Every structure is written in structure tokens, then in C-alpha cells.
Amino acid sequence: MPNLRFEINPNLAAVPATYSSMVWRPPASPVTDRWSPYLDPTTTGSWFLTGNAGPATGCNQTTPCTFPQLKTALNDGGSAPTIYTAAVGKGRDNLLATAVDGLRINGNIYDFEAGGVRTLRAN
């Protein structure tokens, strides 16, 4: 299964780190060799942070968090985290051939189509 990676500034008050990858590891695939239904990273799978932010929040590769736990850990009194980039990844082992559609970040849904990406407002 592919993962989602957000390159962020966690803006943690406790750790002056200015860069971390916020990674979502999905649960096991609900289907094989066909399109899956929409997956909601806010309610499924687990999250972790790389760099100093992982140990500082307790959300690292060894002890991943749920999305609500990650949000609470990032809300430590500092400024809100800043997203720099969003990417689909999967590690370094085998070739990945996949697609993403309907990626929602806050109030925007990014709809990937043959003619380009459309940005829609979430209801």
C-alpha cells in the first residue's frame, strides 16, 4: 500500500525543528488488483513524524499515532504546523504503480483527472 507524506514545519514549541515528514501508513488494502474505495487517513491507518518531531511528540515509526493523537501532539502551544508539500510514497523495495484521486487537505479536495488537477471546496 502506498503512504501519504507531508513535508511540514511542525512548529513545536518544545523542539525548534523546522522540518519533518508527517507520514500516514494505511491499513491493509480492502481490495486487491482494483480500485479501492476512498480511504480516510483521519480515521484509518497510523501516523508518524520523522526527525526531532517524532520523539518529541511520541508519534514516531516505532510508536505511531492515530490522527487525533497526532493533532493533539502537534498542538503544543506553538504556531500551527505548516504543510510544504504532499506526496505519495511507499518505501524503497519494489516498483509502485498507483494513483490517488480525491485527496482532501483541510477544506480543499484535489481531483486528479487526465486534463489536470481540479481543486474543489469540501462541503
Side-chain angles (χ1 to χ4, degrees):
M1 288 288 290
N3 60 46
L4 293 178
R5 293 181 292 194
F6 296 91
E7 309 305 318
I8 67 168
N9 179 343
N11 287 319
L12 294 169
V15 179
T18 58
Y19 175 84
S20 179
S21 291
M22 186 173 87
V23 182
W24 174 64
R25 294 189 298 201
S29 177
V31 296
T32 304
D33 295 329
R34 58 191 163 109
W35 283 99
S36 72
Y38 282 106
L39 301 174
D40 184 350
T42 66
T43 60
T44 64
S46 61
W47 289 86
F48 67 89
L49 296 168
T50 63
N52 293 336
T57 60
C59 297
N60 55 54
Q61 270 189 296
T62 306
T63 58
C65 296
T66 64
F67 189 70
Q69 290 169 325
L70 179 66
K71 283 178 55 176
T72 298
L74 288 170
N75 186 14
D76 74 340
S79 299
T82 302
I83 298 174
Y84 295 132
T85 65
V88 176
K90 63 142 222 73
R92 301 181 192 174
D93 53 358
N94 298 309
L95 174 68
L96 171 69
T98 191
V100 172
D101 196 24
L103 176 63
R104 180 177 175 171
I105 300 175
N106 297 326
N108 292 319
I109 298 173
Y110 300 95
D111 186 20
F112 299 88
E113 299 299 333
V117 179
R118 293 184 310 152
T119 303
L120 310 167
R121 290 296 299 163
N123 292 333

